[in-house]
Amino acid sequence: MKKLLSLIFSFCVLILFASCDKTETFDDQWKLDNEAQFARITADSKYTKINSPSTAGHIMYREIESGNGAKPYSTDKVRIRYTGWFKRDWSRTQDTYEDDRGNIVYNKIIFDSTDRNASLTKRVNEFADGFATALQHMQVGDKWEIWIPWKLGYGETKQGSIPAYTTLVFEVELVDIVE
């Protein structure tokens, strides 16, 4: 009886391993490309690292304009202006390019933005982890370019036009802390 159970168990394990497909999917390659791009930014001396309070990772930023106001806490409401984007192909530096058929490809995908003269008011802790981390280190008047790895952004889940595992880039201006 033990031999029969052992044989059945071995057969089930063999079928399980045989059914495991090692084929690389779009998500696998997309994740690797996005992680590689974030690693390149992490190694670039123009950018500064900030660890997330959640301990889930870090973001990178570079200062575009320097402010001199207060820094918000996670529970504060802030008024910001921003543009969020990612690239279809991180290996291409161009925002648009021509493919082999002569078609124009828009490589830089802007997925969200406030109007140039408008702003958004929201509590810091209502933003994704990486975005909230950056805001808590900014001073009113600061304008930063922020790089957020997928783990501190939208993670393993697709969000609208943003694929899972996407490195997000934001240009953010902290306009004010709202009382």
Side-chain angles (χ1 to χ4, degrees):
M1 184 67 173
K2 286 184 180 179
K3 280 187 176 183
L4 181 60
L5 284 175
S6 178
L7 185 60
I8 292 171
F9 177 75
S10 297
F11 182 72
C12 290
V13 168
L14 182 64
I15 290 174
L16 178 66
F17 282 123
S19 68
C20 291
D21 185 7
K22 297 291 182 189
T23 304
E24 190 172 278
T25 66
F26 168 80
D27 279 353
D28 294 334
Q29 187 58 50
W30 181 257
K31 178 182 176 184
L32 292 173
D33 290 347
N34 278 269
E35 287 176 344
Q37 178 59 28
F38 190 75
R40 284 190 287 275
I41 293 301
T42 297
D44 190 331
S45 63
K46 293 184 294 190
Y47 293 87
T48 303
K49 177 180 176 178
I50 300 175
N51 289 316
S52 169
S54 72
T55 70
H58 68 276
I59 63 167
M60 300 299 293
Y61 80 94
R62 74 175 178 84
E63 189 173 78
I64 299 169
E65 292 177 19
S66 181
N68 60 5
K71 291 182 181 181
Y73 294 103
S74 67
T75 55
D76 286 340
K77 273 189 179 178
V78 293
R79 196 161 50 94
I80 61 170
R81 289 189 194 96
Y82 69 95
T83 299
W85 59 273
F86 64 93
K87 286 201 174 182
R88 289 183 202 274
D89 183 350
W90 289 109
S91 68
R92 295 186 177 266
T93 57
Q94 314 92 325
D95 290 344
T96 60
Y97 62 91
E98 196 171 302
D99 68 11
D100 56 355
R101 296 184 185 144
N103 299 317
I104 300 295
V105 177
Y106 294 95
N107 195 32
K108 182 177 181 178
I109 309 300
I110 297 174
F111 60 86
D112 198 6
S113 182
T114 55
D115 229 4
R116 184 177 306 204
N117 297 317
S119 60
L120 172 72
T121 301
K122 194 172 178 179
R123 288 197 190 286
V124 171
N125 59 14
E126 293 175 336
F127 289 100
D129 187 348
F131 202 100
T133 297
L135 287 172
Q136 292 174 79
H137 287 82
M138 294 177 75
Q139 291 181 287
V140 171
D142 277 348
K143 189 174 193 180
W144 288 4
E145 178 182 283
I146 303 164
W147 287 72
I148 302 174
W150 65 268
K151 289 180 183 179
L152 298 179
Y154 296 132
E156 301 172 353
T157 307
K158 179 181 184 211
Q159 295 287 322
S161 65
I162 306 166
Y165 307 108
T166 298
T167 293
L168 305 173
V169 185
F170 288 91
E171 190 173 291
V172 179
E173 177 185 2
L174 179 55
V175 178
D176 200 4
I177 299 172
V178 180
E179 299 299 322

